Amino acid sequence: MLNLVLFGPPGSGKGTQSAKLVEKYGLTHLSTGDIFRANIKGETDLGKLAKSYIDKGELVPDEVTINMLEAEVEKAGETKGFIFDGFPRTVPQAEALDKFLNGRNETISLMLELEVADDEVVKRLILRAKDSGRADDADESIIRNRLKVYHEQTAVAAQFYKESNKHRGVNGIGTIDEVFQRLWTEIDA
Ligand code: ADP
């Protein structure tokens, strides 16, 4: 199986590039953000809980997120592999994913990190808010909080993959196709 973690700050293009990677490699895309938003829309208990964190630009607690992600992997059935988008976002999530995949005789093949500077990300998210209708994109102070959380809690999760030489940084500035080419060049290497 080809199991990828697509990493990077909010607005770095993970969703856009995931769609292209799904098409090229036939992978199952699991975006924790998308799953939370579907639950919010469906007004489930998980959605109500997640909303209270997401609206503030904070992370949903690890235990809730990890349980949800593992259930989604189990639901997926036969697949060539997964793209984990927005997960893991903390060190405990990275450790839990590692343990969970090991239990299935699987492992993460690569973590691809889209590198985009904060000011560029803020510009992109404010622009995205116009179409996405996402409340967490519409307010610059919430965006700044998401970036703070990213630098303080999420960026350290990359260390986990650097230690096992599975981390690759990719320049996230350029056209969608340029960035995509950089990603698949790393995957096919
Ligand atoms: P973005 O990458 O643009 O911030 P996402 O759609 O990945 O957007 O996530 C939106 C929000 O969902 C996050 O700000 C966070 O509150 C919550 N979330 C998503 N993934 C996780 C995760 N792995 N752990 C905790 N919270 C998460």
Side-chain angles (χ1 to χ4, degrees), residues 73-144:
V73 170
E74 269 155 10
K75 257 200 317 207
E78 273 289 290
T79 177
K80 290 184 182 166
F82 291 94
I83 300 182
F84 299 102
D85 163 3
F87 186 94
R89 242 177 166 100
T90 63
V91 172
Q93 289 181 17
E95 288 168 349
L97 180 62
D98 193 52
K99 210 169 142 203
F100 176 69
L101 290 178
N102 277 341
R104 299 167 62 93
N105 287 319
E106 285 296 338
T107 184
I108 290 297
S109 318
L110 272 186
M111 168 184 268
L112 297 161
E113 176 171 357
L114 291 170
E115 296 165 339
V116 181
D118 283 8
D119 286 344
E120 170 67 19
V121 151
V122 173
K123 270 192 261 167
R124 288 186 187 181
L125 290 179
I126 289 170
L127 207 67
R128 180 170 85 180
K130 293 188 180 124
D131 312 303
S132 72
R134 278 178 58 171
D136 60 342
D137 287 345
D139 181 328
E140 185 164 341
S141 71
I142 293 172
I143 294 174
R144 294 276 175 197

Side-chain angles (χ1 to χ4, degrees), residues 24-73:
K24 183 166 167 68
Y25 295 98
L27 305 174
T28 301
H29 179 218
L30 290 182
S31 157
T32 42
D34 287 351
I35 301 165
F36 285 135
R37 281 185 290 277
N39 276 276
I40 292 170
K41 213 170 159 209
E43 298 179 352
T44 67
D45 288 340
L46 174 64
K48 283 173 204 157
L49 178 89
K51 188 175 181 346
S52 65
Y53 294 93
I54 293 175
D55 284 354
K56 288 182 277 187
E58 286 167 12
L59 295 181
V60 178
D62 280 337
E63 202 196 320
V64 175
T65 307
I66 291 164
N67 287 338
M68 175 185 87
L69 192 276
E70 293 183 357
E72 291 290 329
V73 170

